[in-house]
Amino acid sequence: MTEPQTPEDEGTGPSPTDPTIGGQPDAEPGAAPQPDAAPQPEIATGPDQAPAAETTPGAASPTQPWPSLVPSSGTNPPASSWGPPTPLSSTPATGPAAAEGEASVPPYEAADPLPDSRLGTVGEAGGPDAAAAAAAPPAARSRIGLRWILAILGIIVVIAASALIVSLAGGRPATSIALGYMPANISQYSEVRMDLPGDQRQKLAGFLANFPGFKDQAQVEPKLNDALDKLVRALSSGKQTYTTDIEPWFAGQLAIGAGLPDSGRVAAANPLSPGLEGVSSSLIVVSIKDQAKAEAWLTAFAGSALVKATYNGADVWTTSNAGPLAVATAVTDRVMIVGSITDVHAAIDTKGQGPMANDADFKSALDQVDRDYAVLSILKTRPIIDGLVKTLASARPGLLSGTQIDETVTAMLPAWQVAVGRFENSQFVSTVAYPSYAIGYDTANHRTPLLDHVPSNTIVWVEYHDVGPALNAVLGKFRALPETKGAFAQFDQALSILGGYDGALGWWGDTAFVLAPGADGTIGGGLLIQPRDQAAAIRLFTTLRGYLAIAGSTAGINVRDEDHGGTKITIIDFSAAPGMSSSSLPAGYKAEVAYAVADGVVVFGYGRDFVASVLDAKPGASLADDARFKAGLGQVGAENIGSTFVDVTAIRKLIEPLAQQMAPGEVWATYQTEVKPYLEPIDFLIQALRRDGPLDRGTGSITVHVPPSPAP
């Protein structure tokens, strides 16, 4: 029984050799590990992050290739190796006993309570201990005070160190080894992480659990292997499978880098074709886990057409008549590299420590990646445009001489952009970031009022803010160029009959493209515009109606107006125009468009019924109030500069009846059994773009769910 400690005691607590401390079964969760303690290689950064696979006994390594989770014996792994499809609890286990479901043992025995005679008298003046406390030597007090100061400082150091470890371990994703082999002139880089680093293995399992056959987590790997086997079998004409021929050597990382063609020697062929001249640097890098098996697969796959050589410690295969730009394949102890001989040799020379990771644009792009991912893509936008312009100038000498149009376009574009995709249980989430386009107008994040005018059954919504001012700013960049003055003079003259640019387009605010089904099943759609100047919008459509009334009488165009709840809907009927007839359209559709100018919204599109549905939409009964849309937009950012929504479930249900009528019976039966079960879980796609200081950031997701069982 441990003696109770009091403030006057000079003991320093349990000895460092106490078997209850230092990573032993009963260790305090926050205690520092002793030399024989098991290491903790990863610290979760939040409740939505699962512990790394390597910290769970029996779990697959995070560098293991997806979906290679089956042990070498060929037996299926237990479901626990994939983990549950929902985020794990953030409450840490206190030791192996907790991991095994046993009751946690406290690190110290409970002290006996103080006797009643001492309660309320500790430190009190005149109490039994007062004299003893007063008589305590000053040195003892100093040692006690020093001990508490050191303890507090120790706690501060531990907290600071823990925060640093968490930020380093959780704030940066696992990096691919492929980037280190890429040439310095790469302008496009993409990678697929089939090794599923960090939490992506568990998150993928949760994502797939929404699809048929994947609810049982133990079946995730066999089914994925089966799908990959079918793919490889089809690509190899039945000669190979993934699990037999590729999985034994493939470590799960696949990257492709591409540059731009040499402007002096442009060739219109595949950059990896043998004998091609004037091509850019293009490289494929695949991580491997067994060099001998990788080489055996390569030689078996290519047959006797390849010639083996050695370069700087790596085996390199080429064709017998290979030139410097012919395709070469190198295999090292870490990677397989495919590209031209020149680029492959350069990649080998880097030893995986190439200059690309130090490129300023790539570094800026990678700085935006703060979580583990399944796919990654980086574009150096300006070098791509510069290269295309140089290629065009080389192919057509003098075409761009004397103009600054190309420089104006390039100056508006961001220098780079990065896109990342990762699994999040019920979603596949994509994020994109890039420096804002330098068009001379900055759109602010806000909730667009157009959402209150969108029909609640909308199936497609694509919207961007402040279209009129943004477009005017872009045109202003080109108006300033001397070589465009003639073209803009003609442009302004054409718009003058509609009131000039301000009268035709300047009043456009937030603008959305919308599709929504009508009550009869036909699809209506068109543009919704938030007018920045209501009077300008009314003038424009009044002018247009006048021109149509005059010209339409001789062209077979009929213009009529209808009242709808106090708002005028104008219908433009083309059915009598030459070559136009509603009878030639699908059943229920008419050769007409319509528009209306209402308070807060202008709508122009196909069908009188669609325009009426926009006028009928009100706050409380619009797309903004749809539960799925509202939840999805809240996740990607309701305050934004633009957004997109696609209701995949609704579109599928609209298309299926038409497909059933047109498809042969056996084709429809195959769709019902082999395709539809894997489409049903896909619910909707939503995306929003936000302004974040000097950057634009986009977040989008494809949401899946377990579809409801069919009614009996």
Side-chain angles (χ1 to χ4, degrees):
M1 180 71 70
T2 302
E3 288 295 324
Q5 301 289 321
T6 66
E8 293 86 1
D9 294 329
E10 294 188 33
T12 58
S15 167
T17 59
D18 192 319
T20 63
I21 300 179
Q24 298 303 321
D26 297 333
E28 185 86 73
Q34 297 302 312
D36 59 344
Q40 302 296 324
E42 180 174 88
I43 299 176
T45 60
D48 62 333
Q49 284 188 295
E54 68 267 31
T55 64
T56 304
S61 166
T63 59
Q64 189 174 354
W66 169 60
S68 300
L69 303 174
V70 177
S72 58
S73 62
T75 59
N76 289 336
S80 61
S81 67
W82 275 78
T86 55
L88 297 177
S89 169
S90 60
T91 303
T94 58
E100 297 170 5
E102 299 174 7
S104 176
V105 180
Y108 300 101
E109 293 180 308
D112 293 331
L114 290 172
D116 293 340
S117 61
R118 295 198 61 181
L119 293 177
T121 64
V122 177
E124 290 182 7
D129 295 329
R141 291 184 179 179
S142 299
R143 287 195 297 272
I144 294 172
L146 178 61
R147 186 178 71 219
W148 282 107
I149 292 173
L150 292 176
I152 293 172
L153 289 175
I155 292 172
I156 294 173
V157 170
V158 169
I159 292 174
S162 299
L164 178 60
I165 292 171
V166 168
S167 66
L168 293 176
R172 302 303 305 169
T175 57
S176 170
I177 66 173
L179 187 62
Y181 291 91
M182 291 293 163
N185 61 341
I186 288 294
S187 56
Q188 304 174 61
Y189 175 80
S190 300
E191 67 178 46
V192 178
R193 295 299 301 268
M194 296 176 69
D195 56 343
L196 298 171
D199 64 350
Q200 287 302 278
R201 187 176 300 273
Q202 179 194 358
K203 298 293 188 181
L204 173 60
F207 183 83
L208 293 175
N210 297 277
F211 292 85
F214 288 96
K215 193 67 176 177
D216 180 1
Q217 298 295 285
Q219 295 302 311
V220 171
E221 178 199 355
K223 286 185 174 292
L224 289 175
N225 279 344
D226 181 63
L228 291 171
D229 281 344
K230 290 179 180 178
L231 176 62
V232 173
R233 189 180 292 112
L235 294 176
S236 64
S237 301
K239 296 179 181 179
Q240 294 193 353
T241 64
Y242 173 79
T243 53
T244 302
D245 301 285
I246 298 177
E247 190 277 335
W249 58 265
F250 179 42
Q253 300 179 19
L254 171 64
I256 301 175
L260 294 168
D262 186 325
S263 60
R265 297 178 295 172
V266 179
N270 189 313
L272 297 181
S273 297
L276 177 64
E277 295 182 352
V279 300
S280 64
S281 296
S282 298
L283 210 65
I284 300 173
V285 179
V286 181
S287 64
I288 66 174
K289 58 187 177 183
D290 190 312
Q291 182 174 357
K293 291 180 180 179
E295 293 185 355
W297 172 84
L298 177 64
T299 55
F301 182 78
S304 58
L306 298 181
V307 176
K308 180 180 178 180
T310 300
Y311 177 80
N312 198 7
D315 295 331
V316 182
W317 282 264
T318 58
T319 57
S320 57
N321 58 347
L325 293 174
V327 172
T329 303
V331 181
T332 73
D333 60 337
R334 303 179 66 199
V335 294
M336 179 183 294
I337 308 169
V338 182
S340 70
I341 294 178
T342 302
D343 290 333
V344 167
H345 283 181
I348 294 171
D349 290 338
T350 67
K351 302 295 184 181
Q353 304 295 322
M356 182 52 63
N358 295 321
D359 177 88
D361 289 339
F362 266 79
K363 288 181 68 176
S364 297
L366 288 172
D367 283 345
Q368 309 308 313
V369 183
D370 59 0
R371 303 191 69 184
D372 289 303
Y373 53 84
V375 293
L376 168 75
S377 177
I378 297 176
L379 292 179
K380 295 175 63 176
T381 316
R382 285 181 179 170
I384 292 175
I385 300 301
D386 284 340
L388 293 176
V389 168
K390 291 177 181 178
T391 299
L392 183 61
S394 176
R396 299 281 301 276
L399 178 65
L400 297 177
S401 60
T403 181
Q404 299 177 14
I405 294 178
D406 51 328
E407 290 93 338
T408 302
V409 172
T410 303
M412 289 190 291
L413 298 175
W416 53 266
Q417 69 177 46
V418 58
V420 172
R422 56 177 275 116
F423 294 98
E424 289 287 0
N425 287 329
S426 63
Q427 295 175 322
F428 180 78
V429 178
S430 64
T431 56
V432 62
Y434 51 83
S436 301
Y437 283 77
I439 64 173
Y441 180 84
D442 291 330
T443 300
N445 298 319
H446 65 266
R447 178 195 180 276
T448 176
L450 287 179
L451 281 173
D452 295 327
H453 299 279
V454 183
S456 59
N457 63 339
T458 292
I459 59 176
V460 174
W461 154 274
V462 180
E463 177 263 347
Y464 197 79
H465 294 353
D466 298 340
V467 168
L471 180 58
N472 190 40
V474 172
L475 294 177
K477 295 281 187 181
F478 296 97
R479 283 183 183 275
L481 303 179
E483 61 268 31
T484 64
K485 291 189 179 300
F488 273 103
Q490 297 179 17
F491 174 76
D492 292 337
Q493 183 177 3
L495 287 184
S496 64
I497 61 175
L498 299 176
Y501 178 86
D502 288 339
L505 297 168
W507 57 269
W508 289 35
D510 298 355
T511 303
F513 171 75
V514 175
L515 292 178
D520 59 355
T522 60
I523 305 297
L527 290 178
L528 274 66
I529 306 167
Q530 175 209 4
R532 295 163 54 87
D533 185 337
Q534 187 87 2
I538 294 173
R539 285 195 300 270
L540 172 66
F541 282 96
T542 301
T543 302
L544 286 175
R545 195 194 186 292
Y547 286 133
L548 287 171
I550 295 173
S553 59
T554 59
I557 300 175
N558 179 43
V559 182
R560 68 183 190 274
D561 297 325
E562 293 184 8
D563 179 77
H564 183 79
T567 300
K568 182 175 66 176
I569 298 178
T570 300
I571 298 100
I572 306 169
D573 187 350
F574 297 92
S575 58
M580 294 294 295
S581 173
S582 294
S583 61
S584 62
L585 299 174
Y589 289 87
K590 301 176 182 179
E592 66 180 30
V593 295
Y595 67 83
V597 180
D599 186 20
V601 64
V602 174
V603 53
F604 176 88
Y606 166 73
R608 178 261 177 207
D609 291 344
F610 169 73
V611 173
S613 70
V614 172
L615 299 178
D616 291 339
K618 305 294 182 184
S622 66
L623 180 64
D625 303 292
D626 177 79
R628 290 187 308 150
F629 177 84
K630 190 173 183 179
L633 188 64
Q635 291 180 349
V636 299
E639 300 279 333
N640 54 63
I641 62 175
S643 59
T644 300
F645 170 73
V646 178
D647 191 335
V648 178
T649 296
I651 293 173
R652 176 180 57 79
K653 291 180 178 179
L654 288 170
I655 293 176
E656 282 180 342
L658 300 176
Q660 185 176 9
Q661 295 176 7
M662 296 184 295
E666 64 276 10
V667 174
W668 178 250
T670 300
Y671 168 80
Q672 287 284 88
T673 58
E674 303 296 330
V675 179
K676 183 178 179 179
Y678 296 94
L679 291 180
E680 282 186 310
I682 303 175
D683 196 2
F684 64 89
L685 177 152
I686 196 163
Q687 180 267 345
L689 185 65
R690 290 179 48 81
R691 182 64 48 82
D692 183 14
L695 301 180
D696 286 354
R697 298 185 186 275
T699 303
S701 69
I702 299 174
T703 299
V704 298
H705 65 116
V706 177
S709 301

